[in-house]
Structures are given as C-alpha cells and as structure tokens.
Amino acid sequence: MTYTDILVGHDGGTTTITINRPEVLNALRTETIGELTDAFTRADADPTVGVVVLRGAGERAFCVGGDQKVMVSALDRAGWLRLAGSLRDLFAAVRRCGKPVIAAVQGWCIGGGHELHCFCDLTIASASARFGQVGARVGGAPIFNTRLLPRLVGEKRAREILFLCDTYTADQAREIGLVNKVVPDDQLDAAVDAMCRDLLAKSPTVLRALKLGVNVDDVLSDAYLPLMVDSLAGFFGSPEQREATTAYAQKRQPDFSPYRSAP
C-alpha cells in the first residue's frame, strides 16, 4: 500500500505508523484519516506484528487535529457527517486492533490528535509535550472523547478539559491519568523501544484478550453518539462555526455573543 500522508515501518514485531505532515503540525485531512485507518487495520491482520506505535513526524507535534485550512473551515452539514463517520472508523481501528497500541507523543497533542492518543492503549510523552482539547474554541467537536475521556480522568476533569480548552503539560497529563510515562525529550525513542520489547515478551493471545476485556463496554457503540453527531450537523457551516474558524485563522478571540440564545 502506498501512502501520501503517513509512513509505516516494521522492526521485528513492532509496526510504527507516523503521521507525516510536519509542515502543518501533523494535522489531519481526509486522506490522513483514511490512510491511518487502513494502516491500523493491516497491522491488526498481520500475524508478525505484536505492537503498534503511533507518532507524529518532526519535533513540534504529535498531531493538532483537523487541518483548519483544508478541512475544518470548509465543513458543512454533509461534510461533518462524513468526517464524523471517518473519525469513528479510525478510532475503532485503533481501539479494536488486537495488538497494544502505544502513542509516542512529543510537542503538541491537541484537538483530534488528543482524541487519537486517548484511543491508544498506552501513551509515552516527552517532557515538552502539551495536551488538550480545543473544539469549543475553534469550531470543532470532540464528540468521541465525551464518551472516553470521563473514563480516563473522571467526569469533573473531563468536563474541564472539554469545556475550558486549557492545555496541560506532560507531567500534568500523567498526574490526571492521560499519560502512562513522561521522559526527557531525548529519551522518548528509547522509552518507546523498551516498552515495545516488554510487550513483545508477553503472550500475544493474552494481550489480545486483555484488550478485549478492557474494551468490552465499547464507547464507540454508545447509542448516544449518532444522536450527538446529528445534533451538531447544523452547526457546521453556520455563522457561529464560521466565526470560530475565522477567529482562529486571524489569531483572535472569537465573538460568540450573538449566539447565546437558544435557536
């Protein structure tokens, strides 16, 4: 399979999938999402693969979510419904992959990139990494993390992350349960390699069963998710959403005051 937006490498029993768009901080576009889904599906089906590592190219970002210029700013109702479906397929491919998936995070891990790392089984972060959700500020909608994030960090903290759109250091992320391990920036590769070797020494059948057990209450099968997707469809392409994306592009605070009243 030839990819344009990602790189896939194999070393022993480890497959490394790299989002290869460093010029836009590894932001996701339609092609990126489809390629990632395909790569995870192939890794799951490959009997020689025991561990999957997901990372971003370059040193500035793991992933900053949807590409504002080519995807988010142009979304309308139909585009949102297609995007939500493709993101669900990607998160399902990560979550349901029978191999442990490690997110190796350096730099920014924001928005859809933050959702992506949350759906990985384990996260190792470099000390300079930064985490957070920004949907309510920039006109996005991290609906899948409304179901998963409370399970990771608790309901009150999840509301804080989703509502306030603050950013968190790697150490703060570890303290609240978003990250398993934090290492100095120059030790990230070594720490990931060590965890891969550790996992490859474990029974693959048992690991698959353990992952299945942890995921038995599948957040992606939640009956509320389709309702949430549909309820937001009218938001995309609306003046309110365009104000958010325009303000982001102009590097100013959006003015949501005209949209406070219920429709």
Side-chain angles (χ1 to χ4, degrees), residues 20-100:
N20 189 34
R21 305 188 74 221
E23 69 282 0
V24 289
L25 301 181
N26 299 314
L28 304 173
R29 58 179 181 170
T30 302
E31 293 85 350
T32 324
I33 296 169
E35 290 179 9
L36 286 169
T37 305
D38 183 80
F40 274 103
T41 301
R42 289 174 182 271
D44 184 30
D46 188 341
T48 69
V49 176
V51 182
V52 182
V53 175
L54 176 64
R55 62 192 317 154
E59 299 180 353
R60 297 173 61 199
F62 171 76
C63 175
V64 295
D67 191 321
Q68 290 282 330
K69 291 184 178 179
V70 302
M71 187 167 66
V72 179
S73 63
L75 277 180
D76 56 13
R77 178 186 178 90
W80 160 246
L81 294 175
R82 288 193 298 271
L83 174 60
S86 64
L87 284 172
R88 184 194 177 282
D89 290 345
L90 171 56
F91 296 148
V94 176
R95 193 77 165 166
R96 296 169 188 172
C97 176
K99 311 350 174 12

Side-chain angles (χ1 to χ4, degrees), residues 55-231:
R55 62 192 317 154
E59 299 180 353
R60 297 173 61 199
F62 171 76
C63 175
V64 295
D67 191 321
Q68 290 282 330
K69 291 184 178 179
V70 302
M71 187 167 66
V72 179
S73 63
L75 277 180
D76 56 13
R77 178 186 178 90
W80 160 246
L81 294 175
R82 288 193 298 271
L83 174 60
S86 64
L87 284 172
R88 184 194 177 282
D89 290 345
L90 171 56
F91 296 148
V94 176
R95 193 77 165 166
R96 296 169 188 172
C97 176
K99 311 350 174 12
V101 178
I102 302 170
V105 177
Q106 58 184 358
W108 293 103
C109 181
I110 298 292
H114 189 262
E115 286 190 279
L116 190 51
H117 108 86
C118 285
F119 275 93
C120 295
D121 299 301
L122 300 159
T123 298
I124 302 177
S126 66
S128 63
R130 295 294 182 269
F131 297 82
Q133 297 288 168
V134 294
R137 179 185 296 152
V138 303
I143 61 167
F144 298 101
N145 244 1
T146 65
R147 314 310 299 155
L148 179 59
L149 198 56
R151 303 181 184 211
L152 298 178
V153 300
E155 185 173 312
K156 286 287 188 179
R157 185 70 78 171
R159 291 175 188 268
E160 172 190 316
I161 294 169
L162 292 166
F163 293 0
L164 299 182
C165 301
D166 290 336
T167 57
Y168 300 81
T169 67
D171 286 333
Q172 289 171 328
R174 178 180 55 189
E175 289 170 3
I176 63 177
L178 279 173
V179 166
N180 299 96
K181 188 173 185 178
V182 177
V183 298
D185 291 2
D186 61 356
Q187 296 180 25
L188 179 61
D189 290 347
V192 172
D193 289 345
M195 185 174 284
C196 288
R197 289 194 301 271
D198 194 351
L199 289 167
L200 289 170
K202 306 297 192 295
S203 164
T205 301
V206 173
L207 288 176
R208 181 182 288 273
L210 291 174
K211 183 166 180 176
L212 179 64
V214 172
N215 294 344
V216 67
D217 188 11
D218 187 357
V219 296
L220 292 169
S221 296
D222 193 316
Y224 287 104
L225 279 176
L227 296 177
M228 293 174 64
V229 169
D230 190 65
S231 71

